[in-house]
Amino acid sequence: MYKKIESNLAYRAFTGGPMICIFTKSKDGTPNGMSAAWNCPFDIDELILVLDKGHTTSENIRNGSKIVVAVPSSNQISEILKLGSIHGRDCSVNKFVEQNVDTEESELFKFPVIKGALAYFECELNDKALFEDKGICLVKVKNCYVQENMWDEASKSFKKGCLNSLHHVSEAVFCTGGELVSND
């Protein structure tokens, strides 16, 4: 038996991809990071991120086009909430310092990225017009990095049981994904 819910709650039943953290730098080099729940793969090396056009992150993307997208693990809820609790423009110094979020430097872009993420992707904006019009950020993955101890080279995928990604449910509530199942 099914229960009908309000249409404006559809996103809570149909979550996007895993929770992600998006990292950018402003024109003057100030780093910024935010949490986002609405995202999905678009192609084998392209991602879709849906962002509010008024966010500091959106302004940074418009001004620079490079971003780093990280997939945090289930033990990083505190960091996800900290990154999502304040706008970069409201920080007096550096959002990561003010919010006490540990970061490390991305390999090529040298952007801060949440330390210990399951994976991160160095990307460039692929369609500026789409982003300006709809807030849909279509990005091309330039470099992809995964935690080495969680990657199975033979299957070219995460190892069974290791992908403890988070999916947003409501407010500060998440569910975990990651148990690999097959039809064997």
Side-chain angles (χ1 to χ4, degrees):
M1 177 172 258
Y2 289 95
K3 171 187 171 88
K4 183 177 180 181
I5 61 173
E6 298 297 319
S7 298
N8 64 353
L9 295 176
Y11 73 98
R12 290 193 177 176
F14 185 84
T15 63
M19 279 299 303
I20 58 171
C21 296
I22 301 171
F23 300 91
T24 59
K25 284 188 180 178
S26 68
K27 286 189 286 192
D28 68 0
T30 302
N32 187 57
M34 69 170 279
S35 301
W38 294 4
N39 64 89
C40 66
F42 179 71
D43 205 341
I44 60 170
D45 60 352
E46 291 178 304
L47 308 173
I48 291 177
L49 320 172
V50 181
L51 305 175
D52 182 303
K53 295 188 286 184
H55 283 289
T56 306
T57 297
S58 297
E59 180 181 335
N60 291 348
I61 293 169
R62 281 192 291 276
N63 293 327
S65 79
K66 289 185 178 176
I67 66 174
V68 175
V69 177
V71 179
S73 68
S74 58
N75 64 354
Q76 294 179 304
I77 292 174
S78 175
E79 288 85 353
I80 291 168
L81 295 174
K82 288 176 185 178
L83 288 174
S85 67
I86 187 169
H87 287 285
R89 65 180 168 264
D90 297 333
C91 294
S92 59
V93 182
N94 175 314
K95 187 174 191 178
F96 308 116
V97 173
E98 285 188 28
Q99 294 296 307
N100 196 28
V101 174
D102 287 334
T103 61
E104 52 193 338
E105 202 171 70
S106 73
E107 188 70 27
L108 182 66
F109 291 177
K110 306 300 182 197
F111 281 19
V113 62
I114 190 169
K115 189 172 186 170
L118 295 170
Y120 72 87
F121 312 87
E122 293 177 312
C123 306
E124 290 185 4
L125 184 62
N126 218 15
D127 190 329
K128 191 169 187 167
L130 180 64
F131 188 51
E132 289 296 333
D133 184 40
K134 302 285 185 194
I136 297 172
C137 187
L138 178 63
V139 296
K140 178 84 166 175
V141 176
K142 297 298 183 178
N143 300 292
C144 179
Y145 303 92
V146 297
Q147 288 285 343
E148 187 174 7
N149 62 336
M150 297 182 187
W151 189 253
D152 178 30
E153 198 57 44
S155 67
K156 302 290 187 212
S157 66
F158 281 101
K159 293 178 181 174
K160 182 177 171 94
C162 79
L163 188 59
N164 296 314
S165 59
L166 293 165
H167 296 261
H168 186 251
V169 176
S170 64
E171 290 78 39
V173 177
F174 304 88
C175 64
T176 57
E179 186 61 32
L180 302 177
V181 296
S182 64
N183 194 25
D184 295 340

